[in-house]
Amino acid sequence: MSSARDLFLAIETSCDETSVAIVADGTETLANVVSSQVEIHAPFGGVVPEVASRAHLQNLEPVLTQALRQAVVEPDDLTAVAATHGPGLIGALLVGVTAAKTLALAWNKPYVGVNHLEGHIFAAFLERPDVRLPMITLLVSGGHTSLVHVRDRGEYTVVGSTIDDAAGEAFDKVARYLGLGYPGGPVIDRIASGFAGEPIAFPRGLMDDSLDFSFSGMKTAVVNYVRKHPDTPNDAIAAGFQDAVVDVLITKTMQAVKRHGVISACLGGGVAANSALRRRFEVACDDLGVDSLVPSRQFCTDNAAMIAAAAHWRLRHDGPTPLSGGATPSLGLGS
Amino acid sequence: MLTLALTSSTALVGVAIADGHELLAMDSVMTERRHAETITPMVGEVLDRSGSDLHAIDRIVVDIGPGRYTGLRVGITTAKMLAFALSVPVVPVTSFELIGMAVAEIDHAGPVVAVVDARRDQVFAAVVGNGDPGRGPLVVAPADFAASLPPNSLLVGDGADRYIEEFGRWATVEPGVVPNIAGGACVGGERPSTPAARIEPLYLREPDAAINIKTRPGVGAVTRR
Ligand SMILES: [Zn+2]
């Protein structure tokens, strides 16, 4: 192992994935182990905070062991230990934060607390360290939907966000209503991909000049449509709903790209794993002549590699986080 | 045998280091919500004060509860990660035992019962001295527990403090008793230890959503991030 490299070990436990990653120099992923709790939460139709916290505590040590083995890294070789310290579920965050702080203390390394949203922004640099800034990043998941103007690393302005549900939340609610199961995003994606007919046309929410999003009306439109046309097959509805959501996401993102005159556009968050969104995002960026960054799925959904990448930059920029640091469930970008 | 002991299952966050039965250093503070913020620096400070090197520690004693879920996980996560980094085993002790150690010197003829606040109008309870050790751990409503107490009981712990009026009519409550982490560190050397991976919190209760799901599916769930 070359000692010239900066090796960051990061822990991500903000929601329902327990993840530990080891990343070299902020870009080269040596290990990115993710243990998903989707199956544990499926009977509840959503993530149950206390259930998630209990599972993180059980999963952490095996995931940590696997990451160190996979990366072939000794603790002595590490530069720092990082963890997501917000936003997220407080009990879940505290497992990762406490683990990272303790390892930092025991291994005598600096600790770095990382903003989860900044992690999603840095996911782009893992595969494309050469990315040109400024860029617009569409952060889209079950917990948030926002457009971030990234002027430079560490310089962010949220230029648009949802005024009601997050996009991933809308996917979950529609899937639950249609009886398709949980989580909603992947199942709707799959059904829509296999559908060759004419999707139902649903209204697009909040298609005005603003860069804000609204998804709750679209969910209501689905409910009203099914009441009126109970015999419509689920796949035509799922495909139509996905079309509408993706349409709004793409339109607003491209509006932001034009308004802020950026040269790149990037996707991040769990919903960024949606195949229709990924496809149309690249096409729309091509049309506008901006560089499109669509990280591979393992770096879009919650993972610790993106936290390690952000930590690498944060440590140089801000220095270490004190071991008296905690977690902030509602941490925002720029705070 | 150098032992480092941790507790954070109640409002008390405590760290102690002992060499066999000799206490080298300890610290503790009361905090409502800052368990994670408090415990990591405290481990570092207590180590410094004890004059020992972290890598000389032979085993970790940890309070596995019952108690507050989040505080409990903070302590157990700290213990597991220390054990992982130092390649040492862990000795689990219950919050009941640590509370019992705090009153070991008290001269009381009847049963001594550790009572931990369980929130949700319940307490966790177990006999820790002079009684039927088979009694407990219980998860019980304070009123039901009070009515079932054997005569001449002494109740200690934050659950006894919280319901002092209710319990006071049936038993003696010694208020303000907290887990004795120094005691935990001093007995750690003689207890059986276990690999850190086998350490589990003593929750004694399922998550609310798991209880609710039988009657109200979806309640308590949030959406994914
Ligand atoms: Zn996320």
Side-chain angles (χ1 to χ4, degrees):
Chain A
M1 193 65 43
S2 152
S3 59
R5 294 198 298 176
D6 276 337
L7 292 175
F8 277 65
L9 184 144
I11 302 175
E12 154 66 41
T13 61
S14 66
C15 192
D16 62 342
E17 325 276 3
T18 314
S19 179
V20 177
I22 295 163
V23 171
D25 298 327
T27 52
E28 191 194 341
T29 305
L30 305 183
N32 186 31
V33 182
V34 182
S35 167
S36 169
Q37 302 175 9
V38 163
E39 278 172 33
I40 316 177
H41 296 284
F44 302 99
V47 176
V48 180
E50 176 59 23
V51 173
S53 303
R54 291 185 183 194
H56 284 308
L57 181 59
Q58 285 185 318
N59 296 341
L60 189 60
E61 197 179 319
V63 170
L64 171 66
T65 306
Q66 198 185 332
L68 282 165
R69 241 181 241 158
Q70 214 170 294
V72 201
V73 161
E74 293 298 322
D76 261 0
D77 303 330
L78 294 171
T79 308
V81 184
T84 303
H85 66 178
L89 305 170
I90 184 67
L93 286 166
L94 285 176
V95 172
V97 163
T98 303
K101 291 197 303 174
T102 308
L103 292 174
L105 177 80
W107 291 337
N108 197 24
K109 308 287 179 188
Y111 160 68
V112 188
V114 174
N115 183 315
H116 180 82
L117 304 175
E118 185 169 42
H120 276 303
I121 290 169
F122 270 75
F125 309 139
L126 283 167
E127 293 171 304
R128 292 276 308 277
D130 59 325
V131 59
R132 296 176 307 146
L133 300 176
M135 71 177 177
I136 290 288
T137 298
L138 171 65
L139 288 181
V140 61
S141 72
H144 29 81
T145 301
S146 45
L147 284 164
V148 184
H149 181 199
V150 181
R151 293 185 303 284
D152 204 343
R153 285 167 173 82
E155 287 182 36
Y156 318 115
T157 309
V158 177
V159 295
S161 50
T162 182
I163 59 168
D164 41 54
D165 292 352
E169 201 176 350
F171 272 107
D172 280 346
K173 285 178 175 173
V174 166
R176 192 185 306 161
Y177 178 70
L178 297 176
L180 300 174
Y182 166 88
V187 67
I188 288 181
D189 188 1
R190 195 175 63 241
I191 289 174
S193 299
F195 178 66
E198 189 61 33
I200 309 300
F202 290 112
R204 275 60 172 151
L206 214 68
M207 289 299 249
D208 54 10
D209 275 353
S210 94
L211 295 175
D212 289 333
F213 302 89
S214 168
F215 294 104
S216 80
M218 291 160 70
K219 176 201 68 200
T220 311
V222 169
V223 172
N224 290 339
Y225 187 90
V226 172
R227 282 203 186 122
K228 260 188 230 158
H229 312 89
D231 298 329
T232 314
N234 265 349
D235 50 1
I237 294 164
F241 172 73
Q242 178 177 284
D243 267 3
V245 173
V246 169
D247 215 28
V248 172
L249 292 172
I250 297 285
T251 306
K252 297 273 179 179
T253 307
M254 296 310 137
Q255 267 176 25
V257 164
K258 283 188 272 189
R259 199 169 298 175
H260 294 279
V262 298
I263 51 180
S264 305
C266 177
L267 263 183
V271 178
N274 181 280
S275 46
L277 178 61
R278 300 169 73 84
R279 208 167 44 238
R280 287 194 48 196
F281 192 84
E282 296 199 325
V283 172
C285 286
D286 274 358
D287 286 349
L288 283 186
V290 294
D291 197 0
S292 76
L293 289 105
V294 180
S296 48
R297 282 184 171 82
Q298 65 153 332
F299 297 129
C300 287
T301 50
D302 288 352
N303 68 89
M306 68 185 196
I307 303 303
H312 178 255
W313 186 84
R314 273 289 154 201
L315 180 64
R316 273 190 302 177
H317 194 262
D318 295 342
T321 307
L323 293 182
S324 57
T328 310
S330 58
L331 188 67
L333 266 180
S335 59
Chain B
M1 175 82 71
L2 211 53
T3 306
L4 186 151
L6 308 161
T7 181
S8 57
S9 67
T10 64
L12 182 93
V13 175
V15 177
I17 295 177
D19 190 358
H21 286 267
E22 186 198 347
L23 181 69
L24 300 182
M26 75 152 292
D27 195 5
S28 66
V29 298
M30 298 295 284
T31 174
E32 279 307 312
R33 334 190 127 256
R34 297 177 57 82
H35 293 69
E37 290 87 335
T38 306
I39 200 165
T40 327
M42 192 184 277
V43 169
E45 282 156 25
V46 171
L47 267 167
D48 286 351
R49 253 192 272 153
S50 75
S52 26
D53 175 27
L54 183 60
H55 294 269
I57 298 288
D58 297 300
R59 44 173 56 186
I60 311 290
V61 173
V62 66
D63 174 356
I64 57 161
R68 305 173 181 199
Y69 298 156
T70 298
L72 200 49
R73 276 189 289 267
V74 163
I76 294 180
T77 302
T78 305
K80 278 177 181 273
M81 292 299 111
L82 284 174
F84 179 86
L86 307 174
S87 303
V88 298
V90 177
V91 176
V93 295
T94 66
S95 55
F96 297 136
E97 286 178 87
L98 294 174
I99 290 167
M101 286 178 198
V103 290
E105 311 285 296
I106 286 188
D107 189 19
H108 180 81
V112 180
V113 187
V115 187
V116 175
D117 186 7
R119 314 286 173 94
R120 312 266 183 279
D121 299 320
Q122 288 183 317
V123 292
F124 303 122
V127 174
V128 292
N130 301 337
D132 176 6
R135 207 174 138 78
L138 301 170
V139 189
V140 62
D144 298 343
F145 180 62
S148 74
L149 280 167
N152 196 24
S153 294
L154 175 70
L155 308 189
V156 288
D158 64 359
D161 296 351
R162 176 159 183 183
Y163 300 103
I164 191 161
E165 278 177 30
E166 211 140 3
F167 295 146
R169 283 184 281 136
W170 307 82
T172 309
V173 174
E174 172 76 31
V177 174
V178 294
N180 177 354
I181 198 58
C186 291
V187 302
E190 62 203 32
R191 296 289 182 90
S193 65
T194 179
R198 294 221 196 101
I199 299 291
E200 294 232 23
L202 203 57
Y203 290 117
L204 291 186
R205 207 167 46 192
E206 281 194 76
D208 290 347
I211 298 166
N212 289 340
I213 196 169
K214 288 137 197 167
T215 46
R216 292 180 294 160
V219 172
V222 298
T223 42
R224 316 182 67 236
R225 273 177 194 272

